[in-house]
Every structure is written in structure tokens, then in C-alpha cells.
Amino acid sequence: MRSDSDSPDPLSSPDSPPPKTPPNLHQNTIDPDARWLVQKFGGTSVGKFSVKIARDIVSNYIDNHKVAVVCSARSGSSKALGTTNLLLKASSQALRVPATSTYPTPGCTTPGTTRTSRNNDWTSPLHSPGGSSGSRSPSRSALPNGGLSSTLMMSSIMTMSSIPPPCEKDEPPFFATVELIRSEHITEARSSITSFTILKELEEEIEQDCDALRSFLMAIQVICEMSPRSKDTVIGFGERMACKLMTAVLRDQGVDAEYVSLDSVVPDIDEDSDSHGPTLDQQFYDKLAVAFAERVKQCGSRVPVVTGFFGPVPGSLLRQIGRGYTDLCAAVLAVGLEASELQIWKEVDGIFTADPRKVLTARVIPVISPEEAAELTYYGSEVVHPFTMEQVIRRKIPIRIKNVENPSGLGTVIHPNSDLDPSETREILLPEPVSLEKLDYLQMVDQGHKKLPTAVTIKERIVVLNVHSNRKSVSHGFLAGIFGTLDRYGVVVDLISTSEVHISMAIEDNHEKKIMDRLVKDVEKYGTVTVLRGMAILSLVGKLKNMVGIAGRMFTSLANGNVNIEMISQGASEVNISCVIQGRDAVKALNLIHQSCLQIEVEGRRGRVGPWLF
Ligand SMILES: Nc1ncnc2c1ncn2[C@@H]1O[C@H](COP(=O)(O)OP(=O)(O)O)[C@@H](O)[C@H]1O
Ligand SMILES: N[C@@H](CC(=O)OP(=O)(O)O)C(=O)O
């Protein structure tokens, strides 16, 4: 264990000044045989329950485990209104210069922009205008290492350009967005931290990060261009601030925690890669796991609070991994630490048999296979990022989904061994003492081992492309031509159904209209195309292979509910039967399938029966 005098400041990056550690803080277990436990907390959980996480969750595990905490950027009420979305908004605002603005934008030639050089006394590129901390320049350590080189490059451009500071009426629109992010974090800090010293230190860190963010966005505005890597750097501020907040809350609750930024870890890996640069393959993830673990172990017996943002990965984090990347980060860390378990804490009790917001009778699934969990995440139930499973499961580390609001609940375990018998399942689910309620639950687990599908899910905002061949090429040429075209446009097909002369493809409706129009035009070279918008993919997931009659039951119940089926697909995956229906029928269809294929009828207090499918 390290002494206070040689450990770093818990809220700052490693190159920050020495620590101010309050005495008697509760630390991670010092039992050398104890295994690591990685606990990942989502944005809304960090936003709403930081004190509860520190007091009722992390504190309860550190006596018996070495706990590593991974956090997402905070969201006050919903992910849509959360910090990551605000950061993305600020990025677009920095690129969009209002026509009436008198704010100078060297390099941008937005029509109508008046370039004046008022306030030319302002020269510092990292001057922090408008922030409540005054005109403090952010320190080098306040800038995310992942974006350092581009930040410095842009800073130089700003110096050369002698940009005046934005006065209030003229300030760029992203200032208001950064101010909202700043004030939300400060408000949260003040309402959850009681120690004056911890609060002051945190407030200063938040101010510095917001200063650095403003400077970075200004530089983007100046060069009028944002690479995917710069965009990654901007969103990385969200996890930085959330983790600093969480570290401070943990310390305020008596847990000795240390802030760990992972964005300096990835470039080290960059350096020893080949001349083409690393690709985001398994070898890269394996190196990342080792690097993450090494950094985390430097915290000694302090609880590491790790940024779920992990810096400039090959091809950009947002593009290659997408939103929800902190689940993957936690998984890679769990692999590096050879953790006994990866816990993903959310605001739902686990993975349900259907989205509990849409199906009121949905129930928690006690144990699910990685294949089923992946299938659910790909087809609309985004409880865990789909790439997460592969990383941990190949190292035989189970994932447990738990509810921050119900820490004693058993949650859902995604288990590497998908063919467990009931007694093994009980063992996995019960590391803790058993209450009557849990026994009831386990009774259900035993019954759940009878043949029953696992869950039903819906993916909305789908467009279907039907192509009828013009018979100018043989079948394989027809398919090759269509797929070549889709590949050029970077369009991913979610579901497909084919005959020799006809192909139907369901794709996510997330492409710009003009791109879709061009795609359709190109596909028309191969046949007649019809486009159906506003569709949804309905998927029944489970070990369906030997469940005789399951497809019949699924489609009969849809027919009885007058739900029209546009397209059917089964076979590609042994754990999924999917069909495309009208989006407006989505909730009705979910409930119909849940009722007919997944409902367990209650028979007395303990007994629950079928409909089993043998
Ligand atoms: N099968 C499912 N099981 C559980 N949640 C589901 C399912 N399908 C969709 N969901 C939705 O996924 C969301 C995930 O939970 P939440 O804790 O809000 O996410 P986050 O941790 O990303 O903030 C919930 O709002 C829930 O309604
Ligand atoms: N904050 C990021 C990363 C993330 O993983 O979020 P969450 O864990 O709240 O889904 C996002 O919104 O995409």
C-alpha cells in the first residue's frame, strides 16, 4: 500500500501536484488473493444516484474485492439530455457559424459572415472567456491527453489568428451549451458533497475542464473542421467530469478513490504498432486490456474511478464502437484485471423478457447466454453494448446486470457457459444470503429451464428495400451487385430474405435522405426497387432450434392480433426468429408475442407454469 505522501492527487491526472488525502478513508481490500470486480455505472445512474453508488454499492464490495469503478458521462434525467449529447451539440455548434455573427472565423467562408477584428487586445489562445473561473488558462494537464496534439495544433492557429474574445452578445452558441454542462456538474457537486475541501477541489477541476473544452471548441470553430478524432476528444470531456465527480463523492462518503483517465493509455499502444497504424482488432483489444490493467493497478489500495472514454482508438471511438462505449471499456478492463465478474449497474433490474416500458408483464431473466444477449442488443434491447460480450466471455468472465435502485436484487447474469443446469444457475445467482423473495425467484429459474423462449424485442425506425431483379444477370451477379452497392454506401443490412429474383432487406433508417435516394437510384440498376418506411423488426430470441411449433405460435398470435407481416427471416441465427412489421404495430406485437410465447401463468404463491414448448 502506498503512503499518502507518494500517491497522486486523487482527482487529477498523474502529472498533477501531490495529494491531499483525508485520513481514515476506507480502501480496497488488501487481501492479496482477492479478485478484481469491475463495476460500470451508466450515465443516468451517475447523474441521479452518485451518493447511493458510493454509500450503498461500492462501499459494500470493497472489503472482499478489489473494486474498479468505470463511469459514463452523467445524464441528469435521460441519456438524450445527457452530457454526451450536449457535447455533440456543442461540436456541431462550433462548426456552424450563424450568418449574422460578427465573430471572426478565419478559414471559414460562411456566406454573410462579417469578419471584424474588434477587441484585438485578446491574444492568448487558451484564454478562457466567459467562464465563472475568470480568465484562467487551462493547464496542460487539464487538457485530455488524447487530444493534446490536435489541441496544441489548433491553439497555435488561434494564437496566429489573434482572435478577439467573444463578448457576451457575440459569443459563439456553443458557449451556452458548455455553460449548461458546467452548471449541471457544479449543481450536482454541491448537492452531493459535504466536505468543503473536497467540493472546492472538484469545482476547480470542473472549471478547468470547461475552460479546456471551450478552448478546444474555439479552435474547431477557427479551423472550421472537426476530424472524427477531435469529436472523440470533445465527448471525452463528459467521462472526465463524471469520473472526477464520482471520485469526489466516493471520498466524501469515506472511500479512498482515485480518478483514472485512460486517454493517455491508448497512444502508448499506437507507438509500437506497425507502419499502417493499429486496427481495432482482437490484438488491439488484448494490448489495451494489459495497458488498462497496468494503469489501474498503480492506484494501489485506492478505488480507481476510470473514465469509460478510452481515447483515440484507431478509426475513432464514436465511429468504430459508437455510443455506449463505456460498457466495452469496462469489459476490456475486466479482461486485463482477470476480474471475477463485470457488473453493469443500470436503472433496470436486469435484462427482461421484453422492454419493461412496453410490456408490463415482462420479467427479469436470471441467466442468459452471451449469444442471446448479443442478439437482443442488436435487435433493439440495448441493455449492454453489443461488443461487450465477446471480450469478457472469451475469457470466461460473467457479466451481471444490476439495478442501482435495487442493489440487493439478483439481476441478470450473462454467463459464458450457456448450458447450465438449475443447480449451477443457483450457484451463480447466489453469492449472497438467500431471502424468501430470492427463493421465489430461484423457483422461477428452475421452471425457466423448461423450454421457453428467452425474450422478445423490437427494433424501430427500419426501412425495407425490396428489389425485384431485371434479369440482366444471373442470380449471384444480382446479389453481388446489390451488396457491392450497399458496401459503397456503408449501409448495414439488419435482416434479409431472398429468392433467385427477389431480395428484401431491412436496414436502419438513420441515413440522410439524399444518401438514401442516391443508394436507391444505384440499386435500380439491378431491378425494380420499392421502399417501405416506418417499419420495425420484431425478434423472438432464445434457444429456439428444437422448440417445435414456436414459429407457428409466434405468427398465429400476430395474425390473431391483425398484425401484418412484411418479411420473415429465420435460419441465420439459431437463437432468433425475426419478422418485419409496421412500426405502428410495434407495442401491440410485443405484447401479443410475450403473452403467447413467454408468459408464465401464476399458479398459487410459488407455482408458475407454461406455456412450455416441448
Ligand atoms: N429486454 C430489455 N430488458 C431491460 N431493459 C430493456 C429491454 N429492452 C429495452 N430496455 C430498455 O433499456 C433501458 C436500459 O436501462 P437504463 O438504465 O435506462 O440505461 P443506461 O444505463 O444506458 O442509462 C431501459 O430504459 C429499458 O426500458
Ligand atoms: N456517455 C457515452 C458512453 C456510454 O457508454 O454511455 P451509457 O453508459 O450511459 O450508455 C454515451 O452516451 O454514449
Side-chain angles (χ1 to χ4, degrees):
M1 194 192 308
R2 252 186 332 216
S3 73
D4 286 352
S5 55
D6 63 6
S7 49
D9 185 331
L11 280 187
S12 302
S13 323
D15 48 354
S16 297
K20 303 170 210 109
T21 305
N24 306 325
L25 285 182
H26 196 174
Q27 299 189 309
N28 250 336
T29 179
I30 49 168
D31 174 1
D33 295 329
R35 303 266 311 266
W36 281 94
L37 179 67
V38 176
Q39 299 189 316
K40 181 260 166 174
F41 296 94
T44 39
S45 305
V46 175
K48 288 196 257 179
F49 305 112
S50 58
V51 175
K52 191 173 170 53
I53 289 171
R55 192 190 53 210
D56 302 341
I57 300 173
V58 178
S59 301
N60 275 343
Y61 284 91
I62 53 181
D63 286 336
N64 300 314
H65 300 85
K66 293 178 195 150
V67 174
V69 171
V70 178
C71 295
S72 297
R74 68 177 294 283
S75 304
S77 48
S78 68
K79 192 161 169 165
L81 301 171
T83 306
T84 308
N85 274 4
L86 288 175
L87 288 164
L88 289 170
K89 180 179 171 188
S91 307
S92 342
Q93 287 172 325
L95 285 174
R96 224 183 302 124
V97 183
T100 50
S101 172
T102 51
Y103 195 75
T105 54
C108 291
T109 49
T110 309
T113 302
T114 319
R115 292 189 188 170
T116 61
S117 281
R118 295 183 294 136
N119 306 332
N120 266 345
D121 52 325
W122 188 76
T123 48
S124 165
L126 295 177
H127 175 68
S128 160
S132 65
S133 57
S135 56
R136 183 183 51 238
S137 294
S139 63
R140 193 186 150 94
S141 68
L143 293 167
N145 291 344
L148 202 56
S149 53
S150 42
T151 307
L152 292 179
M153 184 270 287
M154 289 203 242
S155 303
S156 326
I157 294 172
M158 293 170 72
T159 314
M160 288 186 291
S161 313
S162 281
I163 307 155
C167 57
E168 254 179 38
K169 81 174 173 47
D170 240 358
E171 62 188 23
F174 64 78
F175 268 42
T177 310
V178 176
E179 176 50 26
L180 182 58
I181 294 170
R182 189 196 72 85
S183 66
E184 281 184 352
H185 282 81
I186 295 281
T187 307
E188 170 73 8
R190 289 183 185 163
S191 67
S192 38
I193 293 167
T194 52
S195 153
F196 179 79
T197 326
I198 295 176
L199 179 61
K200 280 291 137 239
E201 197 185 339
L202 174 63
E203 285 189 352
E204 205 160 293
E205 286 288 335
I206 294 170
E207 300 293 359
Q208 278 187 12
D209 279 336
C210 290
D211 287 350
L213 173 61
R214 263 184 233 104
S215 299
F216 196 81
L217 290 168
M218 289 238 274
I220 283 168
Q221 176 160 303
V222 171
I223 62 170
C224 214
E225 188 184 293
M226 180 162 46
S227 67
R229 190 167 280 204
S230 301
K231 200 171 193 174
D232 281 0
T233 301
V234 172
I235 57 161
F237 278 94
E239 273 76 27
R240 287 164 68 80
M241 287 193 269
C243 287
K244 287 178 181 176
L245 180 88
M246 201 62 235
T247 308
V249 173
L250 279 161
R251 293 173 71 73
D252 194 55
Q253 291 295 323
V255 177
D256 195 3
E258 179 177 329
Y259 165 73
V260 176
S261 166
L262 289 182
D263 54 18
S264 54
V265 167
V266 180
D268 290 340
I269 289 171
D270 267 355
E271 279 161 22
D272 53 41
S273 62
D274 68 31
S275 56
H276 305 296
T279 45
L280 208 48
D281 54 14
Q282 193 51 50
Q283 209 186 350
F284 178 80
Y285 284 125
D286 291 344
K287 283 183 176 180
L288 216 49
V290 173
F292 285 3
E294 265 172 24
R295 172 63 193 95
V296 160
K297 284 176 185 168
Q298 287 166 13
C299 294
S301 54
R302 279 180 168 169
V303 174
V305 183
V306 181
T307 56
F309 172 84
F310 51 104
V313 300
S316 145
L317 195 72
L318 265 186
R319 277 201 183 169
Q320 299 290 306
I321 296 162
R323 300 291 299 273
Y325 47 82
T326 51
D327 287 344
L328 178 63
C329 175
V332 173
L333 177 61
V335 168
L337 294 171
E338 294 175 12
S340 57
E341 184 170 289
L342 164 62
Q343 294 186 341
I344 298 188
W345 289 81
K346 305 185 73 74
E347 283 165 78
V348 278
D349 275 324
I351 302 181
F352 280 66
T353 47
D355 186 339
R357 288 172 306 182
K358 295 174 182 158
V359 178
L360 295 180
T361 50
R363 56 185 193 284
V364 179
I365 303 162
V367 181
I368 188 169
S369 73
E371 296 78 25
E372 290 167 311
E375 209 72 2
L376 282 174
T377 60
Y378 277 118
Y379 288 102
S381 293
E382 288 175 23
V383 187
V384 186
H385 190 287
F387 296 174
T388 314
M389 264 72 70
E390 199 189 340
Q391 293 307 315
V392 279
I393 297 302
R394 58 197 292 277
R395 298 298 179 95
K396 305 267 179 255
I397 301 171
I399 304 172
R400 194 182 293 262
I401 319 281
K402 283 181 71 95
N403 190 347
V404 173
E405 292 184 89
N406 176 23
S408 63
L410 294 173
T412 296
V413 177
I414 305 174
H415 201 269
N417 178 358
S418 48
D419 286 316
L420 300 163
D421 66 33
S423 64
E424 288 170 313
T425 305
R426 279 165 171 271
E427 221 171 279
I428 291 163
L429 285 170
L430 278 183
E432 299 157 40
V434 195
S435 67
L436 200 62
E437 191 200 359
K438 284 180 186 169
L439 277 176
D440 258 4
Y441 186 75
L442 288 167
Q443 175 91 11
M444 206 177 81
V445 173
D446 289 350
Q447 296 196 347
H449 277 270
K450 305 263 177 64
K451 282 180 184 161
L452 195 67
T454 307
V456 59
T457 181
I458 194 108
K459 185 167 183 175
E460 294 181 75
R461 287 177 295 282
I462 292 293
V463 50
V464 172
L465 287 190
N466 289 312
V467 191
H468 200 81
S469 171
N470 54 18
R471 294 175 189 266
K472 284 189 185 138
S473 60
V474 286
S475 168
H476 50 86
F478 167 62
L479 295 179
I482 289 171
F483 284 114
T485 310
L486 292 172
D487 187 42
R488 277 204 310 283
Y489 283 85
V491 169
V492 178
V493 178
D494 279 339
L495 212 65
I496 188 162
S497 167
T498 59
S499 73
E500 198 180 333
V501 291
H502 188 98
I503 178 165
S504 295
M505 296 165 294
I507 58 186
E508 240 179 283
D509 198 358
N510 58 0
H511 305 276
E512 274 179 48
K513 188 177 174 307
K514 62 173 187 240
I515 303 281
M516 276 306 281
D517 289 348
R518 259 192 270 152
L519 169 76
V520 169
K521 222 164 175 214
D522 279 0
V523 175
E524 274 170 351
K525 285 181 203 148
Y526 304 95
T528 318
V529 181
T530 52
V531 181
L532 304 174
R533 293 187 185 277
M535 310 304 281
I537 298 176
L538 178 70
S539 305
L540 184 62
V541 172
K543 296 184 186 95
L544 308 172
K545 208 170 93 179
N546 299 318
M547 279 185 207
V548 179
I550 185 65
R553 191 185 280 266
M554 175 176 173
F555 295 119
T556 305
S557 55
L558 289 176
N560 290 343
N562 208 22
V563 175
N564 191 29
I565 297 161
E566 299 287 345
M567 175 179 160
I568 297 178
S569 170
Q570 195 210 354
S573 149
E574 286 180 356
V575 293
N576 181 342
I577 302 175
S578 292
C579 63
V580 175
I581 58 171
Q582 293 277 353
R584 61 170 179 267
D585 289 331
V587 175
K588 176 165 84 170
L590 266 184
N591 278 280
L592 284 168
I593 304 292
H594 197 266
Q595 176 73 35
S596 64
C597 301
L598 287 147
Q599 199 75 45
I600 296 178
E601 290 153 20
V602 177
E603 251 193 15
R605 209 179 77 76
R606 294 260 179 103
R608 297 177 170 104
V609 289
W612 317 117
L613 294 145
F614 296 99

